[in-house]
């Protein structure tokens, strides 16, 4: 009887994995919820840990970061009870990604580096997704050439293992980074190569992220009709798969695009639509970004009162999340606000804060580099690479049916 129950639980678990990879998130949760009580009933801690990690991954895909972290915590606790260090490194990496997407880069780095440390101590190879995630951290701290080093390391590993799906993730991350180094030709080339693979294997969520990043590339090039086309396609698909955080993020991107076009009425509408979605799901980082965008919009018309209100909300949330990147932008806008008010002393003070936050970002990146060097994962001198997207976490280990 126990073998039958175990086989049934594994079947539910594997079905959950398949549904998540197909972006059928509600069905994935249902299968995982069926597997978990059976694994608990038969006291199968290996199955319990994998199921908890699988549920966490679905919540991560849906941008429910707090829920994802709760399930990862429970999975890690279970893994530590049975001494499964190998799978613990994967869950730590997933938890790091959840912290990263919620804006907590320091907690994210701690998880990634702990995962690296365990891999080093056990002599196990580092999963390429961890290099991808470290690349994203460097990207967030605007250390683009360091991030490209990690992304290229991930690309080499995926190509060596002939893992085309994860190769497409690395290609897309490299393409996205090229956007920020303003090498738009290479950005579009890498993103397009990633898209070809993703379409072949039917990864709708990753494909949609490529559309969004192509929209960003064309917007940076000021090719606005192309940018609008790709952003609208991304918005449509994000709505279809239920990724609400990416919906409000894309609405914010469109708000910024129309701001650049001086179509302030449309810009405001996209910002307000995005704010409504982000507040419903408590997506803190997008709330920060949209309030920052609205502040810029109202400053354009010298409406300092409304701008101040939006900036105040954004600043409090960014401080709570310790998002130095957002705080640097907010401080710069506050400086402009004070200048419009004729308060040049305060304007200078906020501009100084802008540079202080940028320095903190740089210090965070440098601390990560030093720790990674100590673990032997990067060289002291970063070679020049020819220049996120948060993709699927490290692949779950599918349990074979009994």
């Amino acid at each position: 009887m126990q073998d039958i129950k175990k086989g049934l639980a594994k079947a539910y678990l594997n079905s959950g994995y398949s549904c998540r990879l197909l972006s059928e998130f509600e069905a994935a949760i249902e299968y995982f919820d069926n597997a978990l009580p059976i694994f608990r009933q038969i006291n199968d801690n290996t199955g319990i840990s994998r199921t908890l990690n699988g549920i966490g991954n679905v919540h991560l895909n849906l941008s429910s970061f707090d829920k994802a972290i709760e399930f990862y915590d429970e999975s890690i606790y279970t893994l530590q009870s049975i001494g499964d260090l190998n799978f613990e490194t994967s869950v730590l990496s997933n938890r790091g990604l959840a912290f990263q997407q919620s804006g907590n880069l320091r907690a994210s780095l701690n998880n990634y580096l702990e995962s690296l440390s365990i891999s080093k101590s056990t002599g196990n190879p580092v999963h390429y997704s961890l290099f991808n995630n470290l690349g994203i951290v460097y990207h967030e701290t605007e250390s683009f050439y360091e991030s490209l080093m990690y992304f290229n390391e991930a690309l080499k590993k995926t190509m060596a293992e002939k893992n085309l799906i994860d190769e497409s993730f690395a290609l897309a991350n490299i393409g996205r980074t090229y956007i920020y180094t303003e090498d738009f030709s290479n950005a579009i080339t890498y993103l397009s190569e990633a898209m070809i693979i993703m379409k072949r294997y039917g990864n709708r969520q990753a494909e949609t992220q490529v559309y969004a990043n192509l929209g960003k590339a064309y917007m940076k090039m000021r090719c606005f009709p192309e940018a609008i086309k790709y952003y609208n396609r991304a918005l449509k698909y994000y709505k279809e798969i239920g990724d609400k955080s990416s919906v409000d993020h894309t609405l914010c991107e469109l708000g910024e695009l129309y701001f650049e076009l001086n179509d302030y009425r449309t810009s405001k509408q996209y910002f307000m639509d995005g704010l409504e979605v982000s507040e419903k799901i408590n997506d803190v980082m997008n709330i920060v970004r949209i309030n920052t965008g609205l502040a810029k919009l109202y400053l354009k018309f010298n409406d300092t009162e409304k701008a101040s209100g939006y900036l105040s909300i954004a600043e409090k949330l960014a401080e709570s999340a310790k998002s130095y990147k957002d705080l640097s932008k907010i401080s710069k806008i506050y400086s402009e606000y004070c200048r419009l008010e004729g308060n040049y002393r305060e304007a200078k003070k906020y501009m100084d804060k802008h540079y202080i936050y940028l320095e903190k970002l740089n210090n965070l990146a440098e601390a990560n580099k030093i720790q990674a060097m100590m673990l032997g994962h990067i060289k002291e001198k970063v070679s020049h690479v020819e220049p996120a997207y948060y993709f699927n976490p490290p692949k779950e280990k599918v349990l074979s049916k009994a």
Side-chain angles (χ1 to χ4, degrees):
M1 176 63 75
Q2 183 149 326
D3 286 343
I4 294 173
K5 288 181 178 179
K6 188 171 185 176
L8 180 61
K10 287 180 179 178
Y12 281 134
L13 179 61
N14 291 339
S15 296
Y17 291 159
S18 298
C19 287
R20 187 184 74 81
L21 291 173
L22 292 170
S23 301
E24 296 174 4
F25 300 124
E26 287 185 12
I29 287 287
E30 187 175 343
Y31 280 120
F32 289 139
D33 283 346
N34 286 332
L36 190 58
I38 301 175
F39 280 129
R40 282 179 169 154
Q41 186 182 14
I42 62 177
N43 199 29
D44 184 340
N45 283 330
T46 297
I48 291 169
S49 65
R50 270 60 172 178
T51 308
L52 290 166
N53 179 65
I55 298 171
N57 287 346
V58 174
H59 284 298
L60 180 61
N61 285 135
L62 293 171
S63 304
S64 302
F65 306 124
D66 289 341
K67 283 186 179 179
I69 291 164
E70 285 177 17
F71 283 103
Y72 293 143
D73 286 346
E74 196 172 347
S75 178
I76 290 169
Y77 178 79
T78 305
L79 289 164
Q80 289 174 344
S81 73
I82 58 176
D84 188 348
L85 290 173
N86 191 29
F87 198 74
E88 186 181 344
T89 61
S90 294
V91 184
L92 282 166
S93 184
N94 294 347
R95 188 169 66 175
L97 189 53
F99 278 118
Q100 188 172 332
Q101 291 192 54
S102 67
N104 191 339
L105 295 182
R106 188 171 297 280
S108 174
L109 280 173
N110 287 339
N111 279 270
Y112 291 155
L113 292 170
E114 186 177 352
S115 180
L116 281 171
S117 180
I118 292 173
S119 294
K120 288 286 286 184
S121 66
T122 58
N124 290 324
V126 179
H127 196 281
Y128 43 75
S129 61
L130 187 52
F131 287 117
N132 247 351
N133 295 347
L134 280 164
I136 295 169
V137 171
Y138 271 114
H139 189 284
E140 291 298 312
T141 58
E142 301 189 0
S143 302
F144 299 121
Y145 291 102
E146 285 83 353
S147 75
L148 281 164
M149 182 191 66
Y150 280 113
F151 290 146
N152 277 284
E153 188 66 29
L155 181 61
K156 282 189 289 184
K157 281 180 168 285
T158 56
M159 291 176 72
E161 296 180 25
K162 301 187 186 309
N163 189 325
L164 285 173
I165 294 175
D166 287 326
E167 179 184 334
S168 71
F169 298 164
L171 287 167
N173 274 329
I174 292 170
R176 176 175 178 260
T177 306
Y178 271 124
I179 296 172
Y180 291 88
T181 62
E182 299 186 353
D183 188 344
F184 302 117
S185 176
N186 268 324
I188 291 168
T189 299
Y190 275 92
L191 289 168
S192 299
E193 286 182 16
M195 175 72 76
I196 291 168
I197 299 172
M198 290 168 185
K199 279 181 175 291
R200 189 187 309 164
Y201 290 95
N203 192 318
R204 174 55 70 85
Q205 187 172 49
E207 180 186 333
T208 306
Q209 287 175 292
V210 173
Y211 284 131
N213 278 292
L214 283 168
K216 183 182 287 290
Y218 281 109
M219 184 172 80
K220 295 273 188 181
M221 294 167 67
R222 304 190 72 78
C223 297
F224 294 116
E226 286 294 305
I228 290 168
K229 179 182 77 173
Y230 282 114
Y231 275 137
N232 281 325
R233 190 174 297 176
L235 186 61
K236 177 178 181 290
Y237 292 154
Y238 279 137
K239 287 178 178 177
E240 287 177 1
I241 64 176
D243 187 347
K244 293 179 181 178
S245 179
S246 294
V247 167
D248 63 37
H249 181 83
T250 308
L251 289 168
C252 180
E253 292 276 346
L254 283 163
E256 292 176 352
L257 186 154
Y258 280 99
F259 181 87
E260 291 296 315
L261 285 172
N262 300 323
D263 184 347
Y264 302 119
R265 184 185 298 274
T266 305
S267 173
K268 179 186 174 185
Q269 188 60 56
Y270 276 115
F271 280 139
M272 296 309 294
D273 289 348
L275 189 61
E276 183 181 355
V277 177
S278 59
E279 287 180 339
K280 279 182 181 177
I281 63 174
N282 194 31
D283 186 347
V284 173
M285 300 319 296
N286 275 324
I287 294 172
V288 169
R289 189 176 173 196
I290 292 168
N291 275 280
T292 304
L294 285 165
K296 282 174 61 181
L297 184 65
Y298 279 102
L299 278 181
K300 193 77 176 176
F301 298 98
N302 295 330
D303 189 340
T304 54
E305 184 178 349
K306 284 189 176 178
S308 177
Y310 286 119
L311 281 173
S312 178
I313 294 169
E315 185 178 37
K316 286 175 184 175
L317 291 173
E319 283 177 346
S320 177
K322 296 181 180 177
S323 178
Y324 300 137
K325 186 176 181 179
D326 288 295
L327 286 167
S328 72
K329 292 177 182 177
I330 292 164
S331 296
K332 194 171 184 179
I333 297 170
Y334 259 126
S335 180
E336 174 65 12
Y337 162 78
C338 293
R339 189 185 65 79
L340 288 173
E341 291 277 279
N343 192 338
Y344 297 106
R345 179 173 295 181
E346 283 294 300
K348 183 182 182 303
K349 185 181 83 172
Y350 277 109
M351 188 55 72
D352 290 341
K353 286 180 71 174
H354 162 68
Y355 288 116
I356 288 169
Y357 286 127
L358 285 181
E359 186 179 356
K360 286 186 176 183
L361 264 180
N362 291 333
N363 290 341
L364 182 61
E366 188 61 26
N368 178 30
K369 181 179 174 182
I370 291 168
Q371 287 173 289
M373 282 167 52
M374 290 172 66
L375 289 167
H377 288 285
I378 65 173
K379 298 176 182 178
E380 186 172 358
K381 291 185 178 179
V382 179
S383 58
H384 179 78
V385 229
E386 294 184 311
Y389 243 89
Y390 297 106
F391 292 112
N392 291 329
K395 198 167 292 180
E396 299 96 338
K397 296 185 178 176
V398 178
L399 298 178
S400 60
K401 293 182 181 180

